[in-house]
Amino acid sequence: MLGGRRSIPEPADQAGHRKRRGSRGGRPPAFDTVDHHGRNPVERHFNLLKHWRGLATRYDKLAIAYRSAIVLHAVVTWAKALSDTP
C-alpha cells in the first residue's frame, strides 16, 4: 500500500523473512487495527452480494437494472435479519 497504513496484518512468514534480513529487511509496515476491524463487515457484505450470480457476473448491463438488483438484495437481506423464524 503506497503512502498509507495497512488494514491487513503482515503474514508471519514475511515478518520472519524481514527479521532474518536484519537492517536490510526494512521497517515493519504500520498496521491499523481499527481499520482492520471496520473492514471485515464490508468484505462480508460484498461476499454476500457475490452469491447472487447476476450481481457477481454483472449480467445486467443497464445501470438501473444492476442498481435495482443490489437494492433488492439489500431488502431481502434486511428482511431475513428482521424475521424471527430461521
Side-chain angles (χ1 to χ4, degrees):
M1 180 175 217
L2 298 173
R5 301 188 121 202
R6 285 183 160 198
S7 61
I8 299 175
E10 182 181 23
D13 63 336
Q14 287 184 8
H17 294 312
R18 185 178 43 74
K19 287 178 183 175
R20 189 178 66 238
R21 289 188 60 162
S23 62
R24 295 176 300 146
R27 290 189 334 201
F31 174 67
D32 192 355
T33 57
V34 174
D35 282 348
H36 181 67
H37 289 294
R39 185 180 151 150
N40 182 27
V42 174
E43 286 186 1
R44 289 175 64 176
H45 185 70
F46 274 109
N47 287 333
L48 282 175
L49 280 173
K50 289 179 183 179
H51 282 232
W52 280 33
R53 184 176 177 182
L55 292 175
T57 59
R58 188 66 195 261
Y59 186 74
D60 298 318
K61 297 303 178 192
L62 295 176
I64 189 74
Y66 187 71
R67 186 177 192 284
S68 63
I70 290 176
V71 170
L72 178 63
H73 180 271
V75 169
V76 169
T77 304
W78 181 62
K80 282 183 184 178
L82 290 179
S83 74
D84 57 350
T85 59

